[in-house]
Amino acid sequence: MKRMHGRTRGRRVGLASVALLLGLALAQSDGTPPAVQPPPPVVSPTPPTSPAPAPASPTAPPAPSTPDTSADTGEGSSVSLTRTTKDGGKRLIRVVRTGTSDETGIFVACQPLDDDPPGTPTVSVFSESGAGGVRVSIDKNVIVAPLAVVTQKEGGDGHIEVSAGSARFLDDVPKDAAGNPKTDQLSRCEVEASPQATPDTVNVTQGKTRLKGSKLTYDDSDGVAYIDGPITFSRQNQDSTLTGSSAKIEVNVDDQTTTLVGSVTLKDGDRTSSAERVEYDDAGNVAILRGTPQNPATSVTADQRVTASVIRYNLDTGSVVALGPIGGEFQDGTDTTSPATTQPASTPPVTTPAAPGTPPPAP
């Protein structure tokens, strides 16, 4: 099979080559002086005719047969997946190799071969060791890593894996331990991908927030992109830096939400807040910490400890608003637990002074 750098491999489409025939004007030249022209006949002159219209421009060639794959765009190559949500909406997921040099990576789309069964997907491999890496856009998040493998089904949706690692073209179809040619799609395409789940190599940007993980997996079965940890992140505010960590991240493409999951910690100055799940919205400047009766959300400073089923955290100011049931401990040691309280505006001790009078939104 012919190697095609940055092009579609697998099924190859032949291009018809059209030769254009040029008419040559033949002039008779026998060396005889030109004959004297006879006088023109006495007839009325024919009115000049309008010049013939110019021939129409040739029709542009048809679009390629793989509309979701664009090569040589100046920014590398890309694949787009369209997610159809449960309510019929459309969400676009785009994967782009930012580099164009064969020295820093490859792009290849392994399409089904003629003998593959119906429904065989196209498997695309992106690798890029340059600074821009492979870029994946999902909802408000832009993910950058060295390697992405995209399994694209008919219709646009499919499966994505993003991680550290590399990919390369092979000279021949590799063989298994018994010496027989391997039959998986990438091997038949003479491509090898070597993913590696490595901490801090999957970089996620959401607005002013920068997060790092080890691997991203997305599948159309639930429309959720899972980013494995350990997750670390930071957000530079005007006067301080918010830092944090969690076990993983879930990006729900249908609901357009980003959730930090598992032992989530947010630290800004002397305030440390924690919960098992945190809905994170950089554009809205808010994180919603959600706890359980057994493990409530908490927010702690040097002289205050607030616990609640829900805590609304302002990412810009670091202030918190607690939604009941609420408990609190303060510098004088007083326990202000009030399980029936659900209106933080009427409970000044559990609302930080940085956000006075802020009406609490529904959790």
Side-chain angles (χ1 to χ4, degrees), residues 3-40:
R3 177 173 301 169
M4 305 178 71
H5 292 264
R7 302 282 187 182
T8 300
R9 301 183 71 189
R11 177 176 298 168
R12 289 177 286 181
V13 180
L15 299 178
S17 176
V18 180
L20 300 179
L21 302 179
L22 301 178
L24 300 177
L26 302 177
Q28 181 177 359
S29 176
D30 56 2
T32 305
V36 178
Q37 296 296 322

Side-chain angles (χ1 to χ4, degrees), residues 149-205:
V149 179
V150 181
T151 303
Q152 189 174 14
K153 298 180 180 179
E154 188 73 24
D157 213 349
H159 183 88
I160 304 174
E161 293 188 4
V162 180
S163 68
S166 61
R168 65 189 181 102
F169 291 112
L170 304 173
D171 293 330
D172 298 295
V173 176
K175 293 180 171 53
D176 59 21
N180 301 314
K182 292 185 177 181
T183 58
D184 65 277
Q185 199 161 351
L186 288 184
S187 294
R188 294 173 66 188
C189 199
E190 298 173 16
V191 176
E192 179 183 74
S194 303
Q196 298 173 2
T198 306
D200 297 336
T201 55
V202 175
N203 296 276
V204 185
T205 300

Side-chain angles (χ1 to χ4, degrees), residues 26 37 61 82 131 136 180 194 198 221 235 312 323 334 336 348-349 354 357:
L26 302 177
Q37 296 296 322
T82 302
V136 183
N180 301 314
S194 303
T198 306
S221 59
R235 185 182 198 264
R312 182 181 176 91
L323 306 178
T334 304
T336 62

